């Protein structure tokens, strides 16, 4: 592969890796300094991360603007400060009375164009600093809501633990699935957070066509 001329590479990001961890690894393997990703995934999320090298870095903005599809697991009956499983559970409530039918009905309010407040544990800049930097120091933050579009939001028929529900979400650039999980929990009156997240599509790109890191390393070694 000619990484300087440009490659658009699909990866299945491992859990606990940041998006930049993977970019740095690919940069080191390909020895191409001009390398970037097209859409951040949180460290606890897995799935499709697109990395462009060389001349293909010009495509990053257009790739980022394409709809994204996620498979998420929502856990009812608690919230966390990060809106996901990174931080400990708080405000525990009994969610045993909430049915799948009630969850499905609540989803209707979140389809279409909605106003969403990003999590305080996010990379959005506030007063020149990343929000998560201030949040980790215990500093009070007030993030402004912004419009995002949820094109599709459906329950998935997966057999999960009591109080957990799987969702398939197709959404616009800038959507925080952690905020969506939190807001659904508030609408149901029992709280919720994002227990698991996997990105499966960005536009027509599918995670089934992605490299594993081990597979990519092997290809580089043998090329």
């Amino acid at each position: 592969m000619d990484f300087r001329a440009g490659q658009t590479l699909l990866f299945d990001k491992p859990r606990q890796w940041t998006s930049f961890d993977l970019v740095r690894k690919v940069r080191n393997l390909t020895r191409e300094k001009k390398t970037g990703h097209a859409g951040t995934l949180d460290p606890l999320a897995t799935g499709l991360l697109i990395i462009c090298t060389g001349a293909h870095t010009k495509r990053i903005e257009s790739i980022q603007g394409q709809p994204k599809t996620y498979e998420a697991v929502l856990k009812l009956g608690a919230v966390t400060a990060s809106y996901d499983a990174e931080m400990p559970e708080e405000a525990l409530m009994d969610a045993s009375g909430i049915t799948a039918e009630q969850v499905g009905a609540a989803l209707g309010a979140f389809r279409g164009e909605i106003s969403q407040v990003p999590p305080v544990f996010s990379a959005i800049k506030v007063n020149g600093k990343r929000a998560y930097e201030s949040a980790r120091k215990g500093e009070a933050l007030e993030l402004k809501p912004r419009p995002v579009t949820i094109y599709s939001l459906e329950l998935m028929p997966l057999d999960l633990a009591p109080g957990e529900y799987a969702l398939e979400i197709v959404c616009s650039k800038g959507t925080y699935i952690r905020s969506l999980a939190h807001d659904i929990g508030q609408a149901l009156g029992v709280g919720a957070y994002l227990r698991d997240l996997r990105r499966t599509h960005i536009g027509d790109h599918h995670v089934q066509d992605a490299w594993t890191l081990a597979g990519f390393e092997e290809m580089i070694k043998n090329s």
Side-chain angles (χ1 to χ4, degrees):
M1 290 186 180
D2 188 338
F3 297 106
R4 175 63 56 84
Q7 296 293 327
T8 299
L9 304 166
L10 279 56
F11 284 92
D12 189 344
K13 186 189 81 67
R15 195 181 308 275
Q16 299 291 358
W17 281 56
T18 69
S19 299
F20 187 70
D21 285 340
L22 192 54
V23 168
R24 184 167 50 233
K25 183 68 173 179
V26 171
R27 184 180 292 149
N28 289 339
L29 287 170
T30 62
R31 299 180 182 178
E32 173 51 49
K33 292 182 179 179
K34 198 172 183 181
T35 301
H37 68 75
T40 304
L41 273 178
D42 289 333
L44 293 183
T46 64
L48 183 60
L49 187 73
I50 297 178
I51 293 179
C52 297
T53 73
H56 280 208
T57 55
K58 295 178 181 178
R59 302 180 180 183
I60 285 176
E61 188 173 349
S62 65
I63 294 171
Q64 286 178 330
Q66 296 175 22
K68 299 170 178 65
T69 303
Y70 296 90
E71 294 176 357
V73 175
L74 182 75
K75 182 171 182 182
L76 302 183
V79 299
T80 74
S82 58
Y83 294 1
D84 66 6
E86 179 185 355
M87 306 292 282
E89 293 183 350
E90 304 172 358
L92 303 184
M93 294 188 69
D94 181 7
S96 61
I98 303 294
T99 65
E101 289 73 22
Q102 288 174 296
V103 176
L107 299 183
F110 298 94
R111 298 188 183 105
E113 186 170 306
I114 63 172
S115 181
Q116 185 183 75
V117 179
V120 292
F121 284 85
S122 64
I124 290 173
K125 283 194 173 181
V126 180
N127 298 324
K129 290 198 303 184
R130 299 290 184 186
Y132 66 80
E133 294 175 350
S134 299
R136 291 187 190 283
K137 294 176 182 176
E139 299 172 2
L141 288 176
E142 185 174 346
L143 300 183
K144 295 180 179 180
R146 56 187 191 174
V148 297
T149 303
I150 309 296
Y151 301 109
S152 175
L153 175 59
E154 302 295 338
L155 281 172
M156 297 176 66
L158 297 182
D159 187 17
L160 300 173
E164 295 186 350
Y165 294 90
L167 307 175
E168 184 178 66
I169 304 141
V170 183
C171 59
S172 67
K173 173 186 176 181
T175 303
Y176 278 91
I177 308 301
R178 287 182 286 144
S179 288
L180 182 63
H182 175 84
D183 293 346
I184 292 170
Q186 296 303 300
L188 290 166
V190 294
Y193 66 91
L194 185 66
R195 186 182 68 73
D196 195 33
L197 183 65
R198 182 166 177 78
R199 185 158 66 195
T200 59
H201 295 76
I202 299 176
D204 293 331
H205 303 291
H206 196 290
V207 72
Q208 288 181 347
D209 301 320
W211 288 100
T212 64
L213 185 55
F216 188 74
E217 286 185 288
E218 185 68 18
M219 183 275 292
I220 292 291
K221 185 173 73 172
N222 294 327
S223 60

